[in-house]
Amino acid sequence: MTAAVDQAPGIDLQYTPAGPTIAAFHQSDARVRGILGPIGSAKSVGCAMELFCRAVAQRPYNGVRYSRWGVVRNTYPELKSTTIKTWTEWFPPEICTVTYGAPITGFMRLNLGDGTWLHMELVFIALDRAEHVSKLRSLELTGLWLNEASEIHKAIFDMGGGRIARYPPKRWAGGPSWSGIIMDTNAMDTDHWWYWLAEVEKPRDHEFFRQPPALLREHDQTARLPYRVNPKAENIQNQPLGGDYWLNQISGASHEYIRVYLMAEYGAVQAGQPVYPEYSDIHHCPQDVELVVNESLPIRIGWDYGRTPAAVIGQLTSDGQLRVFDELVVDDPLDLGQEYPSMGVRAFANDV
């Protein structure tokens, strides 16, 4: 998708997605869309431009394309220094007026040159705790952008779903032509609600996009650095230092920081040393490979006995590779940490 606004006097706005993942994000019409990737991969810019392009595409009412968007970050300092800063870099005051009141608002009115005008409102809000959900209850929005969703509570995501598709009203040309929630984030722990929605639950009308890692592990023992730039990294062409932007960050950084923020891998809180430090989601849990059961090999079940048993189901190949097809657990990760009553292994085998 390429966005261009050059019809209004003094305005020349050109945008091209920084990579194929962001381009696919723009092409989707899913009601809930999220994009996960390393830092510096233009996720926030992609979301800002998505709001603008969706606003331009709204059905006109009396020649005006109306829309109102909520933009959420977890704290006001980060809302001002990152989210609004990104927005104003692309939409400066001569295009979009930002008023620092309570709440911070933005307003854009443009002659689109096709006989219609753009009337776009933005409400910038900081919400970092579940009890802040009340700030959303009075809003009537076209859509919502959760910036850095890894730092936002699920109660805010849930409430956001009830505040969208409420503007423009239905009597204005049938209401919004598209409404939904868009999100961007760096990777997070596997107990985060994003992970369970994107990787486990996969609800209907939700679509999650994952950018390639910016860095890859270097397996050449003679290499100067333990990591190398991924040639498929997105937004590398817009970095003044190119791939060195990410390579320069590994000096003094923890392995966990590199995994989460530079390699876009889900990170778990670790105590002590990992049993398999070489494990990588990208290499050992690829999304584009379908595991096929080999009918000539036995099915193996690995059990974890205890008050809340668990089991993994897989096969051991002739060359020693362990392939895991499924897992069974007692607790429901979407139940916000609440577990079912303790279960013996016999009941687990019968009921789960």
Side-chain angles (χ1 to χ4, degrees):
M1 178 189 71
T2 300
V5 174
D6 54 12
Q7 295 87 353
I11 295 174
D12 186 1
L13 174 63
Q14 303 291 329
Y15 165 76
T16 300
T21 308
I22 298 178
F25 173 82
H26 288 312
Q27 293 298 321
S28 171
D29 282 326
R31 187 180 67 88
V32 176
R33 275 176 290 149
I35 183 167
L36 179 151
I39 60 175
S41 58
K43 302 181 298 297
S44 296
V45 172
C47 285
M49 294 305 302
E50 176 69 12
L51 290 192
F52 176 74
C53 291
R54 292 288 175 175
V56 170
Q58 291 291 313
R59 281 187 298 268
Y61 172 66
N62 289 340
V64 181
R65 301 178 187 271
Y66 292 95
S67 64
R68 182 184 298 132
W69 309 88
V71 181
V72 175
R73 187 68 193 253
N74 61 319
T75 68
Y76 269 111
E78 290 177 320
L79 182 69
K80 294 178 180 179
S81 63
T82 59
T83 312
I84 297 178
K85 184 173 183 292
T86 296
W87 180 264
T88 55
E89 285 176 353
W90 282 89
F91 304 100
E94 58 268 27
I95 301 178
C96 181
T97 302
V98 176
T99 303
Y100 288 85
I104 302 173
T105 58
F107 177 71
M108 192 183 311
R109 184 172 176 83
L110 297 176
N111 184 343
L112 298 179
D114 62 352
T116 67
W117 284 79
L118 175 70
H119 180 110
M120 182 180 185
E121 302 174 46
L122 300 108
V123 183
F124 297 95
I125 317 173
L127 303 170
D128 63 346
R129 293 195 297 272
E131 54 266 33
H132 288 171
V133 74
S134 60
K135 295 182 181 180
L136 285 176
R137 289 183 182 142
S138 61
L139 296 180
E140 295 187 345
L141 304 172
T142 307
L144 187 66
W145 170 21
L146 303 183
N147 183 218
E148 196 52 60
S150 64
E151 300 172 354
I152 292 176
H153 199 279
K154 185 157 189 301
I156 294 167
F157 168 79
D158 291 338
M159 176 59 72
R163 308 317 304 171
I164 61 174
R166 298 172 68 93
Y167 183 86
K170 188 175 182 179
R171 65 182 182 276
W172 294 4
S177 53
W178 180 88
S179 65
I181 298 176
I182 64 171
M183 306 179 288
D184 68 284
T185 189
N186 299 123
M188 68 290 290
D189 289 351
T190 54
D191 60 356
H192 193 274
W193 57 265
W194 175 298
Y195 176 86
W196 291 106
L197 287 176
E199 307 294 344
V200 181
E201 190 71 7
K202 301 180 180 179
R204 182 183 61 83
D205 209 17
H206 289 50
E207 195 166 1
F208 293 88
F209 300 83
R210 190 171 176 182
Q211 293 177 301
L215 298 182
L216 299 173
R217 288 185 179 84
E218 179 58 80
H219 298 294
D220 183 354
Q221 300 299 319
T222 65
R224 182 176 61 89
L225 296 173
Y227 299 90
R228 58 185 172 87
V229 177
N230 183 2
K232 296 182 179 180
E234 298 191 357
N235 201 41
I236 190 172
Q237 73 277 12
N238 294 320
Q239 295 294 349
L241 298 178
D244 286 346
Y245 165 75
W246 294 292
L247 280 176
N248 291 343
Q249 297 181 49
I250 67 176
S251 178
S254 67
H255 177 64
E256 190 65 17
Y257 175 90
I258 296 171
R259 285 186 63 240
V260 171
Y261 292 103
L262 304 181
M263 302 179 72
E265 296 185 6
Y266 292 112
V269 177
Q270 296 180 353
Q273 296 298 315
V275 177
Y276 296 105
E278 301 85 6
Y279 175 80
S280 164
D281 273 346
I282 297 297
H283 296 292
H284 297 108
C285 191
Q287 301 298 310
D288 56 351
V289 176
E290 181 180 0
L291 295 182
V292 178
V293 175
N294 187 333
E295 296 184 4
S296 66
L297 295 176
I299 293 291
R300 299 179 182 270
I301 302 179
W303 291 88
D304 180 9
Y305 300 106
R307 299 289 297 278
T308 54
V312 293
I313 301 173
Q315 288 183 316
L316 191 64
T317 66
S318 58
D319 59 359
Q321 183 185 64
L322 177 62
R323 297 185 173 187
V324 178
F325 304 115
D326 204 356
E327 65 177 352
L328 301 171
V329 295
V330 173
D331 59 318
D332 178 5
L334 288 181
D335 202 21
L336 301 180
Q338 298 179 4
E339 295 182 344
Y340 293 115
S342 299
M343 178 180 289
V345 69
R346 186 183 299 276
F348 177 76
N350 289 333
D351 300 338
V352 178

